[in-house]
């Protein structure tokens, strides 16, 4: 079964940076669209960013454009989320997700993704 393991979360001051990593196993990594979602207590999971299997296409929610960058290294079976100029409203548990491009109907909906990491906490304090 596909396994996704996240790391890199932590607590930073507003304006600081973090880089999240998600290492994948038991999948043909280049055939999978990868995405990041985030969730705060009492709210639904929110789309953050996605990247196509080749890395040629990326998508971001408006609130993180210009601050966050999603990337992937297919040789390492790893997807990254570089988060710069963090704001308190970015505080959430961040999850990576994967879905075969053959089965993906939309980049932006959490129910489109079959495989999920365990989540990593990101806290940005003012």
């Amino acid at each position: 079964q596909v396994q996704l393991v996240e790391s890199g979360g932590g607590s930073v001051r507003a304006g600081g940076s973090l880089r999240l990593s998600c290492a994948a196993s038991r999948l043909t990594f280049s055939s999978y669209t990868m995405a990041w979602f985030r969730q705060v207590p009492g709210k639904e999971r929110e789309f953050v960013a996605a990247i196509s299997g080749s890395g040629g296409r990326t998508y971001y929610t408006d609130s993180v454009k210009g601050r966050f960058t999603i990337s992937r290294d297919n040789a390492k079976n790893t997807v990254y989320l570089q988060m710069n100029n963090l704001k308190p409203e970015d505080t959430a548990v961040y999850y990576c997700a994967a879905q075969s491009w053959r089965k993906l109907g939309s980049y932006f909906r959490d129910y489109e993704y079959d495989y999920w990491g365990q989540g990593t906490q990101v806290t940005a304090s003012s």
Side-chain angles (χ1 to χ4, degrees):
Q1 182 60 271
V2 172
Q3 183 178 6
L4 306 176
V5 180
E6 294 180 307
S7 61
S11 182
V12 299
R13 300 288 296 272
S17 298
L18 287 171
R19 189 177 76 159
L20 306 183
S21 299
C22 178
S25 61
R26 294 184 176 272
L27 82 173
T28 304
F29 189 67
S30 62
S31 297
Y32 279 74
T33 296
M34 303 296 297
W36 292 93
F37 290 78
R38 63 189 181 187
Q39 188 170 30
V40 299
K43 294 186 177 181
E44 296 181 347
R45 280 182 294 189
E46 176 192 18
F47 173 79
V48 178
I51 187 167
S52 62
S54 69
R57 295 182 177 181
T58 58
Y59 305 89
Y60 300 92
T61 191
D62 285 345
S63 64
V64 308
K65 288 180 179 177
R67 300 188 297 119
F68 291 11
T69 303
I70 189 170
S71 62
R72 67 193 296 160
D73 186 340
N74 286 354
K76 296 181 178 179
N77 285 6
T78 301
V79 64
Y80 305 95
L81 186 67
Q82 179 67 47
M83 304 183 293
N84 296 329
N85 192 23
L86 282 159
K87 301 177 179 180
E89 51 263 44
D90 296 317
T91 296
V93 177
Y94 283 69
Y95 298 89
C96 65
Q99 181 63 283
S100 171
W101 68 268
R102 298 173 180 85
K103 299 180 180 180
L104 187 71
S106 171
Y107 289 100
F108 315 113
R109 312 301 186 198
D110 58 356
Y111 58 77
E112 291 283 349
Y113 294 84
D114 284 345
Y115 306 106
W116 293 85
Q118 79 285 357
T120 185
Q121 177 70 44
V122 171
T123 302
S125 301
S126 61

